[in-house]
Amino acid sequence: METSERAYEKIINYVERQIMQGSYKKGDKLPPERELAALLSASRNSVREGLGILERMGVISSQQGAGNFISDNFEKTLIEVMTLMFILEEGTFREISEFRYALEMQALSLAMKNITEEQQTDIEYYMSMLEQTPGEEQKAYYDKKIHYTITAASGNRFIIDNLQALTEVMDVFIKDMRAKILSDGSNSEGLMSAHRQMVEALREKDESKGLKALKAHFEYIYAYIDG
């Protein structure tokens, strides 16, 4: 008799193989548990266990009364993995910020080519609000919206998912970092200028100017973290 471990791994391997072969695509509904159990010669409990693991991985979504569907909701999984890596590998705030910087550099470079007029308009609006809003929380909100929109403008799903997950992790471990930096008189104007230069660079399609501004932006973040 097969062990329960091999039994529940059958459903995981089966679904992953079907995705790799192109038989399952996002939104496709999986066969009912009883059919999967018969197909894979596994118990219903083993199938249910395997499906539960796939759901936690973000590969499928389970809808009560409707069944199981192929998903691509990996952001929650990425956040969990990055959080555990940060804790277990005793990562530093500097390391996680450097990783974010590397991703944002590529996002900005791609956004130079792919940004839409609507996204450019949104970014310029967020920039104007960032400059006008007096409250720290609102400044932090518009700061985040600028970065999210640049990331979205990259058009690269892997960068988008990883940066969003990484930002969530940083917000947990470095709580209120954006608001505190923006409220720091010694850093706020320099950081504001870096944002302004990035927005202008996107409008002008000047990648060199944009990357220089992004570098300055992260230097202020490093100064806050290292200080």
Side-chain angles (χ1 to χ4, degrees):
M1 179 178 288
E2 293 183 282
T3 66
S4 59
E5 181 180 11
R6 289 179 183 170
Y8 77 70
E9 282 182 343
K10 278 185 174 184
I11 180 62
I12 297 172
N13 293 335
Y14 169 77
V15 172
E16 290 179 344
R17 186 166 60 251
Q18 295 302 308
I19 292 172
M20 293 293 289
Q21 292 174 352
S23 301
Y24 284 165
K25 294 181 172 60
K26 181 181 176 182
D28 285 352
K29 184 177 180 179
L30 271 63
E33 290 180 6
R34 64 179 180 277
E35 290 186 23
L36 288 170
L39 176 67
L40 300 172
S41 300
S43 69
R44 289 280 294 276
N45 284 339
S46 296
V47 168
R48 196 170 295 119
E49 188 175 1
L51 291 173
I53 292 170
L54 287 167
E55 185 173 15
R56 289 192 291 276
M57 291 168 61
V59 177
I60 68 170
S61 61
S62 179
Q63 300 178 21
Q64 187 69 31
N68 299 294
F69 297 81
I70 300 297
S71 176
D72 63 349
N73 184 25
F74 297 116
E75 187 179 340
K76 181 174 181 289
T77 305
L78 281 169
I79 292 171
E80 292 172 350
V81 169
M82 286 183 183
T83 300
L84 291 173
M85 284 180 64
F86 183 77
I87 295 171
L88 296 175
E89 296 188 3
E90 299 181 349
T92 65
F93 297 138
R94 177 70 182 232
E95 286 176 319
I96 202 168
S97 296
E98 288 169 346
F99 180 38
R100 178 184 157 198
Y101 177 33
L103 288 173
E104 288 211 34
M105 278 196 294
Q106 187 60 32
L108 183 60
S109 294
L110 290 171
M112 290 286 171
K113 307 168 189 173
N114 300 326
I115 192 167
T116 65
E117 289 184 15
E118 182 180 0
Q119 288 170 329
Q120 182 69 45
T121 299
D122 287 344
I123 288 176
E124 293 187 8
Y125 168 74
Y126 299 141
M127 185 67 230
S128 68
M129 294 304 295
L130 179 62
E131 292 177 312
Q132 297 171 28
T133 301
E136 292 178 13
E137 286 189 14
Q138 283 298 98
K139 282 185 180 294
Y141 170 79
Y142 288 116
D143 175 310
K144 184 177 287 190
K145 292 293 285 185
I146 289 171
H147 288 274
Y148 275 178
T149 308
I150 292 174
T151 300
S154 74
N156 185 302
R157 182 61 185 271
F158 291 96
I159 291 176
I160 293 168
D161 286 351
N162 276 277
L163 262 175
Q164 289 182 344
L166 187 58
T167 299
E168 291 293 328
V169 174
M170 290 186 72
D171 286 349
V172 169
F173 287 102
I174 317 178
K175 189 172 177 57
D176 300 328
M177 179 183 69
R178 294 174 193 268
K180 290 176 181 176
I181 296 176
L182 287 165
S183 65
D184 184 344
S186 62
N187 285 329
S188 60
E189 183 49 43
L191 194 61
M192 193 74 72
S193 176
H195 282 97
R196 197 178 301 117
Q197 292 292 312
M198 276 191 285
V199 173
E200 290 176 2
L202 281 163
R203 184 173 58 249
E204 298 163 3
K205 306 297 183 187
D206 188 336
E207 184 174 350
S208 176
K209 179 178 179 179
L211 292 177
K212 182 178 179 181
L214 185 65
K215 180 181 179 183
H217 173 278
F218 273 89
E219 284 174 350
Y220 286 109
I221 292 177
Y222 295 152
Y224 171 79
I225 292 172
D226 296 342

